């Protein structure tokens, strides 16, 4: 039997989620193992992106796995930078702009993001790459990049949704350090 190394996912309030992550100085065996674990954790959750901060590691790394227009995008972004296009309309649509987060499990709220983003990052081999993304892939990159800066999508919500989410935090007991969930064991998902 093969044991898949799945890590616990930090819930909002955990300190590492709310502070900027550190630059990866070198791609070591430990970094490669972390990335492998992050892919397994993201798949088990299930999710389409996962930042290292969400598994309690304060490094500038995220993974993604998403299919768009018959192209499968799966990769790791180490020390990424992100160029974000203009947000054309400030009003988020509840049907097309609703977003979730594995660190705020089970909740989804509309958030307007740019429809375009260009990701510049390094892969596990240390090679730089660039992806010009549109649509949901651009949203995924913006969401995960925010995590590396200590920003959760909930921090960007407009007031009616912020108030609603604060009630959820209070009910769930979230917003304080020390809370996490385990994909495949706990009955939670984004």
């Amino acid at each position: 039997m093969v044991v898949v190394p799945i890590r616990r996912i930090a819930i909002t309030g955990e300190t590492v989620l709310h502070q900027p992550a550190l630059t990866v100085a070198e791609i070591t065996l430990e970094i490669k193992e972390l990335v492998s674990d992050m892919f397994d954790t993201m798949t088990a959750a299930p999710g389409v992106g996962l930042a290292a901060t969400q598994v309690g590691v304060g490094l500038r790394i995220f993974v993604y796995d998403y299919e768009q227009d018959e192209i499968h995008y799966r990769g790791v972004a180490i020390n990424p930078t992100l160029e974000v296009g203009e947000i054309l309309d400030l009003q988020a649509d509840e049907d097309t702009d609703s977003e979730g987060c594995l660190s705020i499990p089970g909740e989804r709220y509309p958030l307007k993001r740019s429809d375009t983003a260009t990701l510049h990052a390094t892969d596990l081999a240390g090679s730089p790459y660039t992806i010009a993304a549109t649509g949901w892939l651009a949203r995924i990159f913006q969401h995960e990049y925010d995590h590396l800066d200590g920003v959760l999508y909930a921090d960007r919500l407009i007031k009616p949704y912020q108030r609603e989410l604060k009630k959820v935090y209070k009910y769930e007991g979230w917003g304080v350090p020390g809370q996490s969930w385990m994909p495949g064991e706990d009955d939670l998902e984004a």
Side-chain angles (χ1 to χ4, degrees), residues 119-146:
L119 175 69
H120 304 278
T122 301
D123 64 18
L124 272 181
S127 300
Y129 71 92
T130 298
I131 297 176
T134 60
W136 272 95
L137 185 61
R139 178 179 293 273
I140 292 165
F141 289 166
Q142 290 169 77
H143 181 107
E144 299 309 327
Y145 189 83
D146 271 355

Side-chain angles (χ1 to χ4, degrees), residues 86 144 147 176:
E86 184 180 354
E144 299 309 327
H147 274 298
V176 296

Side-chain angles (χ1 to χ4, degrees), residues 135-164:
W136 272 95
L137 185 61
R139 178 179 293 273
I140 292 165
F141 289 166
Q142 290 169 77
H143 181 107
E144 299 309 327
Y145 189 83
D146 271 355
H147 274 298
L148 304 184
D149 287 339
V151 176
L152 273 67
Y153 91 106
D155 299 330
R156 296 189 180 277
L157 295 175
I158 61 174
K159 284 194 191 243
Y161 302 117
Q162 283 181 349
R163 283 194 300 270
E164 189 177 318

Side-chain angles (χ1 to χ4, degrees), residues 43-55:
T43 300
V48 293
L50 184 70
T53 55
Q54 292 181 274
V55 293

Side-chain angles (χ1 to χ4, degrees), residues 25-186:
E26 180 183 0
I27 300 172
T28 62
L29 179 58
E30 290 79 15
I31 294 294
K32 291 177 180 180
E33 289 172 356
L34 168 65
V35 168
S36 177
D37 291 357
M38 288 171 63
F39 274 115
D40 291 339
T41 302
M42 177 181 62
T43 300
V48 293
L50 184 70
T53 55
Q54 292 181 274
V55 293
V57 179
L59 293 173
R60 296 192 72 78
I61 302 171
F62 70 79
V63 297
Y64 54 90
D65 189 354
Y66 185 72
E67 188 169 326
Q68 179 172 293
D69 300 328
E70 299 182 21
I71 299 172
H72 191 179
Y73 296 92
R74 178 180 168 91
V76 57
I78 300 173
N79 297 329
T81 60
L82 193 66
E83 297 170 34
V84 178
E86 184 180 354
I87 298 175
L88 300 177
D89 180 16
L90 296 177
Q91 184 65 34
D93 182 275
E94 290 192 21
D95 294 323
T96 60
D97 292 323
S98 283
E99 196 168 306
C101 179
L102 296 174
S103 291
I104 307 172
E107 301 302 318
R108 296 185 66 79
Y109 292 92
L111 175 63
K112 193 64 181 170
R113 294 209 188 249
S114 175
D115 195 45
T116 62
T118 302
L119 175 69
H120 304 278
T122 301
D123 64 18
L124 272 181
S127 300
Y129 71 92
T130 298
I131 297 176
T134 60
W136 272 95
L137 185 61
R139 178 179 293 273
I140 292 165
F141 289 166
Q142 290 169 77
H143 181 107
E144 299 309 327
Y145 189 83
D146 271 355
H147 274 298
L148 304 184
D149 287 339
V151 176
L152 273 67
Y153 91 106
D155 299 330
R156 296 189 180 277
L157 295 175
I158 61 174
K159 284 194 191 243
Y161 302 117
Q162 283 181 349
R163 283 194 300 270
E164 189 177 318
L165 193 53
K166 282 183 182 180
K167 291 177 185 176
V168 172
Y169 285 7
K170 184 175 181 178
Y171 176 79
E172 296 289 349
W174 295 344
V176 296
Q179 297 180 327
S180 63
W181 67 282
M182 179 61 86
E185 290 180 19
D186 298 327

